[in-house]
Amino acid sequence: MDNRFGDIETFLAVASGGSFAAAAKALRLTPSAVSRSIARLEQRLGTILFRRTTRSLALTAEGSAYRDRMSVLLAEIETVESDLGREKQGPRGLLRVNASPSIGVPLLPILPRFTARYPEIILDLALSDTIVDLVEERADIAIRIGPLRDTSLRAKKLGHSRMVLVASPAYLARRGTPHTPDDLDGHDCLRFSFRRSIDSWPFLVGGRVVHRPVPGSFFGNSGDLVRQMAVAGGGIARHGHFHVAADLAAGRLVELLPDYHPGDGEDIHALYAPEDRAATRIRAFLDFLDEELVIDG
């Protein structure tokens, strides 16, 4: 068995007590056991830690330096162990969450309830449409929309949302309301500039799904940017219902061509590393999303 940490503890006790006898009493060991421990440590380090005489015991220069370094390291170990023990008592610590801006719309209004429920968790939220590497970005959880790509991560499904075609009342008053997919030829369609995006939208026509190219002079690199452009009257957009539910309810946007809806939608997942599932702060956030996040539609 490796007695390394025991030897270090014994060394610090001798350095603090000033004698093998004092250290033996403090550690409930025999003086001979203390002596063997110090000899073993000095042999492993290849240096003399104590200057011994028949009447006194003093640290060498190397012993003083070793004491100072080991005192700091052992204090750090005690802090880490204490923090882990406190983690078991309840969720606490820094929680880094990365989410696409689209999910920020329904997510942000509920986060104050999370921070109120778990005041000892520090929430660090970053919104980005970029697919992040959890390790590289030091994120604990990533919330993403659409097909899953990284099979090394665990995924918790948060919901599913149908796609909807929307435009603002001001845009429709200016350009007219389309009644069939063919009517889109005379409109500005707002599209995404993602590499995975395509310049066609699916519609249910005559009992089958048809992908129809759509015209437009605007591209956006985030869902929320395209949503805001639609609200501003810039054209017709195609979004997950959850993303525009508040705008539809408030009348800022109007749903178009519901009879031609092809039945497609988007899954929303929370992704996290398998080994992180045991952390109480991560479990707390995942359970909170399960309870509080409503993906309407």
Side-chain angles (χ1 to χ4, degrees), residues 206-237:
R208 64 189 184 91
V209 176
V210 176
H211 287 263
R212 189 186 191 287
V214 290
S217 57
F218 178 85
F219 288 89
N221 69 344
S222 79
D224 203 52
L225 179 61
V226 173
R227 181 192 68 83
Q228 291 184 50
M229 186 67 170
V231 170
I236 299 173

Side-chain angles (χ1 to χ4, degrees), residues 105-115 288-289 292-294:
V105 174
L107 183 63
L108 290 176
I110 69 172
L111 289 184
R113 297 203 289 274
F114 177 79
T115 55
F288 174 81
L289 293 178
E292 302 284 347
L293 184 62
V294 177

